[in-house]
Amino acid sequence: MPVQKIRKVDEKKKLKHKAIVRAAIEIFAEKGFHNTKIKEIAKMANVADGTVYLYFSTKDDLFIKAFDELISEKLLIMKELINKEDTYFEQLTKFFDYHVKLFTDEPYIARFLSIELRQSTEFYKKYPDYQPIKRYLSFLQEIIEKAIAEGSIRDVDPVTLSYIMFGTMDFVLTEWSTKDQPFALGDILQKVKDILRYGYLSEN
Amino acid sequence: MPVQKIRKVDEKKKLKHKAIVRAAIEIFAEKGFHNTKIKEIAKMANVADGTVYLYFSTKDDLFIKAFDELISEKLLIMKELINKEDTYFEQLTKFFDYHVKLFTDEPYIARFLSIELRQSTEFYKKYPDYQPIKRYLSFLQEIIEKAIAEGSIRDVDPVTLSYIMFGTMDFVLTEWSTKDQPFALGDILQKVKDILRYGYLSEN
DNA sequence: CAATGAAATGAACACAAATTCATTTATTTC
DNA sequence: GAAATAAATGAATTTGTGTTCATTTCATTG
């Protein structure tokens, strides 16, 4: 097997690719898909407008790939973090915290997630295969299934619970990021976890 | 007090206004804000392009007013329906059902709600006063407060519970409407209510 | 039933922004 | 280090669509 020569161009290519994606995420997040100009992304990534089209075929393509990379990256970190927990119950509990942490560590990320979720309705028709949240939800559902098997949570429908968890966190994060952080995320998260654990029925 | 003469034009005006709004809701819902052309709305409402601008100052304005009217209408119906329930606990329970009913009775309505929720991030900066979901959430929070006072649900934070309920229903409806009705809404709704009532903890 | 004014029309305008491509610059090869 | 190849540039092109406004149609009034 011949030693693969590492060409200078290839390194550069990867760097540019990354720079464009990062810039894209940031600006898409801030302004939404339709208010984002390729010019702006190019500028932030320090490349010419045309260069963007050497790496991505269209604006749609850039958006899709940017989001895909973001989700993949976050999912990877999530799996690493989660797998350190001893029980599946703990994994489920920590899922809330890590999700919020991962999608708020840079302030624009949460906005990108919520924007994307909506935009996806638009993309769904054009690109039926594009279901970026799916993997993320599947992972959550697996944890739920294991926690049920473990006996630490009761036998609820994993899909339903995943919708509740994700839908809630998404709405909370959307409110939070739209309204310029009107409430302490940690507090509300604690309350969410409490309600979802014990339900809202009176104890008696 | 002189008897107000009902002028033919005034009636017509109201009719056109309504026709444009209805068309707007339907097309915005189907295509999202940016993929909707005024021309199309005009066509569906059976008016000329320019006529739209006699009733609404800009496309933004039309979108905002259309959504406002939709929410107002739905909220009104919701209040009527809900007030027939005897206990606040029942009101809270039925809120789920009515919400889903109201936003799925015409197939595009749910999509409009979810699109709007997202778009609002974009509009929020331009029009800070525009917070259409607020009234709806407030109403839900009032019911929660009363149910707590009544003693039928435990003393949870009303805002948090309203986020859980709304966020969950919104995500469920988004999935449902995006994916061309992949699951029976009634079934999943039942499961959602069960989890939120009793929580996901094991009974023992 | 004229005369007046209001409402409606839709072709034309203006402009923003995605994409292209002829040209320039950088990298690799022998 | 010269020739060949690859990458990058950004001005120019193209396209799409929100909005305007001169003109036409319709409604009201006395």
Side-chain angles (χ1 to χ4, degrees):
Chain A
M1 224 188 320
V3 175
Q4 190 72 33
K5 189 173 181 189
I6 298 165
R7 297 192 313 151
K8 213 175 180 180
V9 262
D10 288 347
E11 286 174 41
K12 266 200 169 175
K13 237 183 176 169
K14 274 184 200 158
L15 280 177
K16 290 233 157 125
H17 182 99
K18 205 155 207 166
I20 294 169
V21 165
R22 286 232 78 72
I25 291 175
E26 189 156 345
I27 299 184
F28 280 139
E30 195 187 327
K31 312 205 165 181
F33 180 76
H34 291 284
N35 293 319
T36 293
K37 284 159 245 170
I38 292 291
K39 238 196 168 75
E40 248 185 306
I41 293 176
K43 202 175 179 185
M44 176 169 276
N46 287 314
V47 299
D49 304 6
T51 306
V52 173
Y53 289 87
L54 299 175
Y55 290 85
F56 304 93
S57 63
T58 61
K59 192 185 176 186
D60 282 13
D61 183 49
L62 172 56
F63 184 81
I64 286 174
K65 295 214 170 111
F67 189 70
D68 236 57
E69 277 186 37
L70 180 76
I71 283 288
S72 297
E73 188 192 309
K74 296 295 178 186
L75 186 54
L76 205 69
I77 304 176
M78 176 66 97
K79 285 183 176 172
E80 266 177 28
L81 289 169
I82 281 291
N83 284 331
K84 286 188 185 139
E85 304 299 326
D86 289 329
T87 65
Y88 293 118
F89 183 77
E90 262 309 303
Q91 289 192 0
L92 192 61
T93 304
K94 284 289 169 68
F95 197 96
F96 289 96
D97 301 295
Y98 290 145
H99 177 86
V100 168
K101 187 181 182 323
L102 288 176
F103 288 96
T104 55
D105 55 359
E106 287 149 292
Y108 51 84
I109 297 285
R111 217 169 282 176
F112 189 49
L113 180 67
S114 71
I115 282 171
E116 149 49 40
L117 213 63
R118 286 61 192 182
Q119 220 71 56
S120 69
T121 312
E122 176 187 341
F123 280 106
Y124 172 68
K125 284 182 190 162
K126 283 198 213 168
Y127 318 103
D129 288 343
Y130 175 60
Q131 296 178 16
I133 314 282
K134 211 176 179 179
R135 275 177 301 150
Y136 196 81
L137 271 182
S138 297
F139 179 62
L140 175 53
Q141 285 157 17
E142 279 167 30
I143 297 176
I144 294 171
E145 278 160 18
K146 288 173 190 161
I148 294 171
E150 184 186 69
S152 55
I153 75 170
R154 65 192 183 91
D155 186 21
V156 297
D157 177 41
V159 172
T160 304
L161 182 52
S162 75
Y163 285 4
I164 293 175
M165 287 178 63
F166 191 84
T168 298
M169 289 189 291
D170 179 57
F171 187 73
V172 168
L173 287 181
T174 301
E175 286 289 300
W176 181 79
S177 64
T178 307
K179 306 262 157 61
D180 299 317
Q181 294 86 337
F183 45 72
L185 265 180
D187 290 355
I188 206 157
L189 201 57
Q190 199 50 51
K191 291 172 186 164
V192 165
K193 285 195 281 188
D194 172 76
I195 294 178
L196 293 190
R197 262 187 218 179
Y198 300 105
Y200 62 66
L201 273 195
S202 300
E203 279 96 349
N204 49 2
Chain B
M1 216 181 343
V3 174
Q4 190 72 33
K5 187 168 182 193
I6 298 164
R7 296 193 313 151
K8 214 173 180 179
V9 259
D10 287 349
E11 286 174 43
K12 265 198 170 175
K13 236 183 177 171
K14 273 184 201 158
L15 280 177
K16 289 233 157 125
H17 181 101
K18 204 154 206 164
I20 295 168
V21 166
R22 287 232 77 71
I25 290 176
E26 188 155 346
I27 300 182
F28 279 139
E30 195 187 326
K31 311 205 165 180
F33 180 77
H34 291 284
N35 293 320
T36 293
K37 284 158 244 168
I38 293 290
K39 238 196 169 77
E40 246 185 309
I41 293 176
K43 201 175 179 184
M44 176 170 276
N46 288 313
V47 299
D49 304 5
T51 306
V52 173
Y53 288 86
L54 298 175
Y55 291 85
F56 304 92
S57 63
T58 60
K59 191 185 178 187
D60 282 14
D61 183 49
L62 172 56
F63 184 82
I64 286 176
K65 295 214 170 112
F67 189 71
D68 236 57
E69 277 187 37
L70 180 76
I71 283 287
S72 296
E73 188 193 310
K74 296 294 178 187
L75 186 54
L76 205 70
I77 305 175
M78 175 65 96
K79 284 182 176 173
E80 267 177 29
L81 290 169
I82 281 292
N83 284 330
K84 286 188 187 139
E85 305 298 327
D86 288 329
T87 63
Y88 293 118
F89 183 77
E90 262 309 302
Q91 289 192 0
L92 193 61
T93 304
K94 283 287 168 68
F95 197 97
F96 289 96
D97 301 294
Y98 290 144
H99 178 88
V100 168
K101 187 180 182 325
L102 287 175
F103 289 95
T104 55
D105 55 0
E106 286 149 292
Y108 51 85
I109 296 285
R111 217 168 281 177
F112 190 49
L113 181 67
S114 72
I115 282 170
E116 150 49 40
L117 214 62
R118 286 61 191 184
Q119 221 70 56
S120 69
T121 313
E122 177 186 340
F123 280 105
Y124 172 68
K125 283 182 192 162
K126 284 198 215 170
Y127 318 103
D129 288 343
Y130 176 60
Q131 296 179 17
I133 313 282
K134 211 177 178 180
R135 276 178 301 152
Y136 196 81
L137 273 182
S138 297
F139 179 62
L140 175 53
Q141 284 157 18
E142 278 167 32
I143 297 176
I144 295 171
E145 277 159 20
K146 288 173 189 161
I148 294 172
E150 184 187 69
S152 56
I153 76 169
R154 66 192 181 92
D155 185 21
V156 297
D157 177 40
V159 173
T160 305
L161 182 52
S162 75
Y163 284 5
I164 293 175
M165 287 178 62
F166 191 83
T168 298
M169 289 189 291
D170 180 57
F171 188 73
V172 168
L173 288 180
T174 302
E175 286 289 299
W176 180 79
S177 64
T178 307
K179 305 263 158 60
D180 300 317
Q181 294 88 333
F183 45 71
L185 265 180
D187 291 355
I188 206 158
L189 201 57
Q190 200 50 51
K191 291 173 187 162
V192 165
K193 285 196 280 187
D194 172 77
I195 294 178
L196 293 190
R197 264 188 217 177
Y198 301 104
Y200 61 66
L201 272 195
S202 300
E203 278 97 348
N204 51 4

